[in-house]
Amino acid sequence: MDILFASSEAHPLIKTGGLADVSGSLPRTLKNSRQEVRLIMPAYPQAIAAAGALQCVAELTLPVARTPVRILLGRLPNSRVRLYLVDAPEYFDRPGGPYGEPGGTDWPDNAARFALFARAVCELAMDRAGLNWRPDLVHCNDWQTGLVPALLASEAQRPATLFTIHNLSYQGLFDRAEVAGLGLPDSWWSMHELEFHGRISYLKGGLVFADWLSTVSPTYAKEIRSAEFGCGLHGLLTHRRDRLTGILNGVDYRDWNPGRDRLIPFTYTARTLRLKQENKIALQNAFELPSRPDIPVFGHVGRLVEQKGLGLILDLIPELLQRPMQLVILGTGQPELEQALRAAHTAHRSKIGVRIAYDEGLAHLVEAGSDTFLMPSLFEPCGLNQLYSLRYGTPPIVRRTGGLADSVVDANGPNLYAQTATGFVFNEPEPDQLLHAIDRALNLYAQQRVWKDLVQTGMQQDFSWEQSAKVYVDLYQQILDLRIREAGMRRTASNPF
Ligand code: ADP
């Protein structure tokens, strides 16, 4: 199959979260399974710098661009995947992140930036860029690519489209004034198309128009059809439930393997767990905590946003201070959460280590050096850190939601007895429920033999991309078959004889 994979970020070119991990590793795994998959992304300066050799292979004249848009061809690093970078300097060549200014505020012209990106993706998808290649299917990811299925829907001979929801709460919502002049069809301003409470939703473009929808875990695929998790879109998602699949993300064990990780001081395996203790000392040093091998370290890495349940952790700080434990948190995000964490660190330096930063190396050290990983997310489409934690022998403490529910097995009596337990799972996002899970972890940690079993069972779990990539290939095929059947039905309907 020929697949065009459209994403706004991909590791190691540029990353703000899990979408980049998926877009960096799924295309690579698909390519290794002999699918012709090509990745298309905006040409951010970081991506150009990280991509290495690039050549201009096409120039496109697009309605929203003042100058021709260049298509740069290269390779996704460490892979055989062809990479197309959409080079429109007026939109993408700026300091800061892919979606916002260095300070974090969204770019004021995001509506235009991702409309332009979508139009470029469609030109390639329709083989109108002179590249002599036509994908069978375009795999779109999150709101930044939501206009792609919507634009392609009006093309007569178009590729099939799959739209993957990595996080329903980011919707790409824009006012009328922001999209005026972008040449978007008037018909989209209808609640049956892209309109959402008086604004336009790029995400809805994908949800309404893609041939098929997927999301990144089976449980999240169910949850988003409910009012609690559906962000106002549960009606639409329920309507499309026959074409909504949940596929758990995989892990790139080339990057996340404690036995070969170049970003941690001491590599280790399930047989050399004493070396994990050395990483723990390094972690305590890095966060200026007392070196105490006997005291369990609870780690957390992530975007500091409400979704990740940081409010629960902050509420519990007085309780946690009374327990024999240390807490380390690495992240960046909402200023008020950053501020609250900084304050907790300043007040309790011997127990709470905080680093407000985006630091790849330190993220690996937190996974390797912590004894257990806190992930009390209010909702979690898939979550990757709990999967990394399992491989690093750092049993995660998670809420039973989304991909967390699909990947962590609770250390209750029967599961411990059956040696299937891998972490601690609680149900409701309430501080006392999280505290109870933390206390269960502390209790088990005190029984080192049982703890070791838990750690080793987690380390043996296989969440590699190979498994999930096979499911994606089957889904792609299913979508193509469906398109053929539907085209046949349309022909028969228009010419019944
Ligand atoms: P989300 O996509 O919601 O951010 P995921 O758990 O799916 O959450 O993926 C987050 C990814 O981003 C992980 O690879 C995690 O290690 C990384 N990450 C998040 N914050 C930081 C940070 N401050 N420093 C380094 N890596 C981070």
Side-chain angles (χ1 to χ4, degrees):
M1 273 178 278
D2 288 296
I3 312 293
L4 182 60
F5 193 97
S7 178
S8 60
E9 50 182 278
H11 179 73
L13 301 172
I14 187 161
K15 168 169 166 176
T16 68
L19 172 62
D21 289 338
V22 175
S23 306
S25 35
L26 175 57
R28 191 163 72 185
T29 315
L30 290 168
K31 180 79 186 176
N32 290 343
S33 70
R34 295 208 292 276
Q35 308 299 329
E36 179 53 29
V37 55
R38 302 183 185 186
L39 173 64
I40 184 164
M41 275 182 46
Y44 309 111
Q46 301 92 324
I48 293 181
L54 291 166
Q55 73 182 103
C56 176
V57 288
E59 283 201 358
L60 306 173
T61 306
L62 297 177
V64 274
R66 276 189 285 275
T67 52
V69 172
R70 299 192 315 154
I71 303 295
L72 309 178
L73 171 66
R75 288 212 177 265
L76 176 68
N78 311 318
S79 82
R80 293 178 297 125
V81 175
R82 276 186 209 218
L83 167 73
Y84 295 118
L85 294 179
V86 177
D87 187 24
E90 61 181 307
Y91 289 116
F92 299 125
D93 183 11
R94 25 179 105 159
Y99 320 120
E101 296 170 14
T105 317
D106 281 353
W107 294 114
D109 56 351
N110 272 346
R113 296 171 78 229
F114 291 102
L116 174 122
F117 178 55
R119 286 197 191 271
V121 173
C122 290
E123 291 308 286
L124 259 78
M126 294 303 296
D127 196 14
R128 289 196 292 247
L131 299 176
N132 200 20
W133 181 71
R134 195 189 171 89
D136 300 310
L137 182 142
V138 187
H139 186 164
C140 304
N141 296 277
D142 272 354
W143 72 263
Q144 298 88 344
T145 59
L147 296 194
V148 175
L151 290 167
L152 284 177
S154 59
E155 301 280 354
Q157 296 287 322
R158 64 167 176 89
T161 49
L162 168 65
F163 184 79
T164 298
I165 305 157
H166 296 260
N167 193 330
L168 194 68
S169 70
Y170 298 98
Q171 304 190 345
L173 287 171
F174 302 104
D175 294 331
R176 242 173 218 277
E178 292 176 274
V179 295
L182 299 184
L184 307 183
D186 283 340
S187 61
W188 284 1
W189 286 97
S190 143
M191 62 176 284
H192 301 294
E193 300 206 348
L194 275 70
E195 198 245 333
F196 188 71
H197 301 291
R199 305 175 84 193
I200 203 153
S201 159
Y202 280 21
L203 179 82
K204 241 184 120 180
L207 302 187
V208 171
F209 285 102
D211 293 314
W212 205 279
L213 307 176
S214 75
T215 186
V216 288
S217 69
T219 295
Y220 194 58
K222 282 193 211 116
E223 287 174 340
I224 55 178
R225 284 157 26 203
S226 70
E228 185 186 353
F229 294 95
C231 304
L233 292 161
H234 47 287
L236 171 57
L237 291 162
T238 302
H239 177 66
R240 298 216 65 193
R241 66 184 174 283
D242 294 343
R243 297 193 180 183
L244 169 61
T245 306
I247 304 175
L248 197 70
N249 282 337
V251 174
D252 193 332
Y253 288 125
R254 294 186 343 174
D255 288 339
W256 293 96
N257 174 355
R260 282 193 315 204
D261 190 335
R262 273 184 255 127
L263 297 174
I264 58 175
F266 301 91
T267 54
Y268 61 96
T269 65
R271 290 217 199 96
T272 55
L273 281 173
R274 66 196 151 72
L275 292 169
K276 183 170 167 60
Q277 286 290 99
E278 303 291 336
N279 289 302
K280 176 168 170 178
I281 304 290
L283 178 68
Q284 288 170 325
N285 289 340
F287 279 81
E288 291 166 11
L289 290 166
S291 293
R292 290 284 305 271
D294 54 317
I295 287 201
V297 175
F298 288 61
H300 176 82
V301 179
R303 293 179 299 113
L304 302 177
V305 291
E306 265 161 48
Q307 176 203 334
K308 301 290 176 183
L310 283 146
L312 298 178
I313 299 178
L314 284 166
D315 282 352
L316 285 180
I317 282 182
E319 290 284 350
L320 302 185
L321 291 171
Q322 293 171 27
R323 286 161 169 76
M325 61 183 279
Q326 295 174 343
L327 182 64
V328 298
I329 297 186
L330 165 66
T332 56
Q334 290 172 3
E336 61 283 7
L337 288 172
E338 291 186 354
Q339 193 45 43
L341 287 169
R342 275 203 191 94
H345 166 64
T346 310
H348 312 287
R349 283 179 190 278
S350 65
K351 298 209 82 169
I352 302 176
V354 170
R355 188 71 58 84
I356 303 297
Y358 188 92
D359 186 330
E360 193 87 20
L362 205 50
H364 284 244
L365 184 60
V366 174
E367 289 291 1
S370 300
D371 293 292
T372 168
F373 195 90
L374 282 176
M375 214 157 159
S377 306
L378 309 186
F379 68 94
E380 193 58 80
C382 176
L384 291 168
N385 277 116
Q386 86 281 12
L387 303 178
Y388 305 152
S389 302
L390 291 171
R391 185 49 63 106
Y392 279 68
T394 310
I397 298 179
V398 304
R399 180 183 174 206
R400 194 184 304 284
T401 182
L404 301 175
D406 293 336
S407 56
V408 181
V409 180
D410 184 53
N412 60 24
N415 292 340
L416 280 172
Y417 184 73
Q419 296 202 320
T420 54
T422 58
F424 303 87
V425 187
F426 64 96
N427 288 328
E428 296 305 322
E430 303 293 341
D432 57 338
Q433 292 216 7
L434 171 59
L435 187 62
H436 183 60
I438 289 173
D439 282 338
R440 287 200 292 137
L442 285 169
N443 268 330
L444 223 57
Y445 185 80
Q447 306 169 47
Q448 275 294 309
R449 281 225 342 256
V450 193
W451 185 262
K452 199 169 162 200
D453 278 352
L454 181 73
V455 164
Q456 291 185 331
T457 307
M459 292 181 88
Q460 284 155 11
Q461 303 304 304
D462 182 5
F463 289 100
S464 59
W465 264 114
E466 279 69 24
Q467 316 275 348
S468 300
K470 275 196 203 108
V471 186
Y472 272 106
V473 171
D474 289 346
L475 179 61
Y476 293 158
Q477 192 58 58
Q478 193 183 338
I479 302 169
L480 295 186
D481 293 346
L482 175 87
R483 288 268 305 152
I484 292 168
R485 271 203 314 279
E486 285 183 345
M489 261 151 41
R490 267 197 302 277
R491 266 199 305 279
T492 320
S494 60
N495 181 6
F497 307 107

